[in-house]
Amino acid sequence: MKPPSLAPALPDIPIRPVGQMGLRELERIRLILRGGSVIDWRRMYFQTRDEVDAFLRLLQLDLSQSFDEVWARQVLAEAVEYLRKTFNYRVSNVVAQPEEIHDLFLFASGVKGSSRHRRIACVVLKVMHVIQHIEGRDLLFRLAISEAELAEVVTAKVLSVATEMQAKGLPVVEFAHSIKTQDSLITKLLAKKETVAAQVYDRTRFRVVTKGREDLLPVLYYLTQRLFPFHLVVPGQTENTLLPFKQVLAENPHFEQFIPKLQLDRDFEDREGPGKNIYSGNSYRALNFVVDIPVRMDAYLPTPEEDGRQRKGRIVISLVEFQIVDEETARINEMGENSHDAYKRRQKKRVLKRLSQGLVVPKRQT
């Protein structure tokens, strides 16, 4: 019999309307809308220990459990050693050995410690973020779990949150999942410049349709509070033709007061350029992004008391794509050149051209 999951319970949270969102929510949402990296951030936005604890639980870490605490301390120690050894970086002991791991996030938010502690804690957390990714991938490679089994585990986790959203009355009219077929995977890989299986991020994909456009941000933010931590969005894999950042600001004027405090200036997306799928119709609108969903693998590991591994991490990360769109836009997206059939025709035409280029003898001109 497999050991039970030790996934921590998440505290109940209210739905946050856009009008109640502040700088913290705006920064987190913007990170997803542009497919950015938290590595580029200069500060965090936690205000209390409880907020940090909820965030860590969303990461599947319960630091009241000794085995999770030991693992987190080990990751912290490795991050500090890396900075000291590689860059001769001076990490103060207050940050290197905090009373609680939670303190790192409060230091990085400027709630505890000095401004110097904030800067150092930010750097340390960035390295810890990378180490966590490396360990999560490494553990997945070592476990006796198939890709199909993992997809089932992740799907169950996502759909449980979908049920929770429905119970709370969030205006979601569709929450559907799909897994790409073998033929679809082959076609997508042949259509991409990088013909590598690892580059297909949407084998497990979820489509979320909200009642109205005004519901998009509350639904998106709720997902970051209950399903995936905002910082686990995969950089460079967002296609956003639905919610450009400046349009979000224009539709929600109360955000203007936070513009001077943003990590990036308001024109950053203009310089970066929008992400768009070349096979989509010109008027197709949607928000597509990829996240690493953290999943505890206790059922595939010895119990913590019997775990003799040197590295005792128990969390893997699984790539999942989300598409979020409102009901009216979803209807328009299925019309004319935007339809899924038209998308597939354009994609297949591109694949056939790549496959036959230089190999098919052209017809003789008369």
Side-chain angles (χ1 to χ4, degrees):
M1 180 182 296
K2 292 179 179 179
S5 173
L6 300 172
L10 295 175
D12 189 35
I13 59 168
I15 298 167
R16 189 173 295 276
V18 178
Q20 294 180 12
M21 293 183 182
L23 177 62
R24 173 184 60 186
E25 291 81 12
L26 183 60
E27 286 282 29
R28 293 176 177 181
I29 286 171
R30 188 185 193 184
L31 190 75
I32 295 172
L33 295 184
R34 59 176 287 265
S37 172
V38 75
I39 300 297
D40 300 320
W41 277 23
R42 301 184 301 275
R43 69 177 305 129
M44 300 297 285
Y45 296 98
F46 296 97
Q47 295 299 309
T48 67
R49 183 193 183 280
D50 285 346
E51 286 180 16
V52 176
D53 195 66
F55 177 76
L56 292 171
R57 287 173 176 268
L58 190 60
L59 272 171
Q60 300 297 286
L61 287 170
D62 179 1
L63 298 192
S64 67
Q65 301 286 348
S66 60
F67 45 87
D68 278 354
E69 166 77 12
V70 168
W71 179 80
R73 291 278 180 181
Q74 187 176 30
V75 173
L76 169 58
E78 289 189 6
V80 171
E81 181 184 7
Y82 167 80
L83 289 168
R84 287 172 173 171
K85 180 176 64 177
T86 306
F87 303 106
N88 197 26
Y89 199 91
R90 295 183 179 179
V91 182
S92 64
N93 287 334
V94 173
V95 175
Q97 298 174 356
E99 290 186 17
E100 286 190 298
I101 294 294
H102 300 67
D103 290 341
L104 284 174
F105 296 86
L106 298 177
F107 287 144
S109 303
V111 173
K112 294 188 73 171
S114 65
S115 59
R116 180 171 175 269
H117 291 148
R118 178 182 63 79
R119 293 191 296 270
I120 296 172
C122 279
V123 173
V124 170
L125 283 172
K126 290 176 182 182
V127 180
M128 292 177 69
H129 170 64
V130 173
I131 294 173
Q132 178 204 6
H133 263 76
I134 293 172
E135 290 222 352
R137 293 278 182 232
D138 182 68
L139 178 58
L140 184 57
F141 290 144
R142 295 174 184 273
L143 291 179
I145 180 172
S146 69
E147 199 166 304
E149 285 180 284
L150 181 61
E152 289 179 5
V153 172
V154 172
T155 297
K157 180 174 181 176
V158 176
L159 293 183
S160 69
V161 173
T163 301
E164 178 184 301
M165 293 170 72
Q166 184 181 31
K168 281 187 171 287
L170 271 164
V172 174
V173 298
E174 179 185 338
F175 203 126
H177 77 282
S178 61
I179 297 177
K180 281 193 176 296
T181 64
Q182 180 80 350
D183 287 351
S184 294
L185 284 173
I186 293 171
T187 301
K188 181 154 189 173
L189 284 169
L190 288 171
K192 293 168 70 74
K193 291 182 179 179
E194 308 88 355
T195 316
V196 181
Q199 296 297 324
V200 178
Y201 294 105
D202 59 345
R203 294 185 185 187
T204 304
R205 182 173 182 265
F206 294 87
R207 170 181 160 93
V208 184
V209 182
T210 67
K211 184 66 178 174
R213 181 179 173 85
E214 67 277 7
D215 305 315
L216 292 167
L217 293 185
V219 167
L220 175 61
Y221 193 73
Y222 191 84
L223 289 173
T224 69
Q225 297 293 96
R226 304 301 288 179
L227 184 59
F228 53 82
F230 69 93
H231 74 299
L232 291 185
V233 62
V234 178
Q237 295 302 317
T238 292
E239 296 171 3
N240 179 14
T241 52
L242 180 64
L243 286 168
F245 183 63
K246 283 188 174 179
Q247 193 167 337
V248 170
L249 297 179
E251 293 174 356
N252 304 280
H254 78 285
F255 282 146
E256 285 292 332
Q257 62 186 302
F258 306 118
I259 299 301
K261 299 180 180 179
L262 289 172
Q263 306 258 0
L264 302 170
D265 67 86
R266 67 184 301 156
D267 299 320
F268 184 87
E269 285 82 354
D270 294 341
R271 297 191 299 273
E272 192 176 48
K276 187 179 187 302
N277 192 316
I278 61 174
Y279 303 110
S280 298
N282 290 329
S283 58
Y284 184 89
R285 298 289 180 265
L287 169 62
N288 287 71
F289 59 93
V290 181
V291 294
D292 280 314
I293 292 188
V295 183
R296 287 196 73 102
M297 290 286 103
D298 301 300
Y300 297 85
L301 291 166
T303 62
E305 297 78 17
E306 299 172 342
D307 193 348
R309 296 174 302 143
Q310 182 178 0
R311 309 291 304 186
K312 299 187 187 297
R314 309 182 72 83
I315 302 165
V316 301
I317 47 179
S318 179
L319 287 166
V320 177
E321 183 186 33
F322 285 87
Q323 180 185 88
I324 298 183
V325 68
D326 61 274
E327 193 172 28
E328 175 62 15
T329 302
R331 184 185 66 81
I332 296 172
N333 282 348
E334 286 303 317
M335 298 171 60
E337 67 167 2
N338 293 331
S339 71
H340 187 67
D341 288 342
Y343 173 94
K344 286 298 183 183
R345 284 197 299 272
R346 287 188 290 268
Q347 189 183 53
K348 288 179 180 178
K349 183 177 179 180
R350 165 68 172 169
V351 169
L352 185 59
K353 182 178 180 181
R354 290 191 75 191
L355 286 173
S356 60
Q357 193 167 20
L359 298 174
V360 177
V361 178
K363 292 181 179 179
R364 181 176 296 176
Q365 300 295 317
T366 57

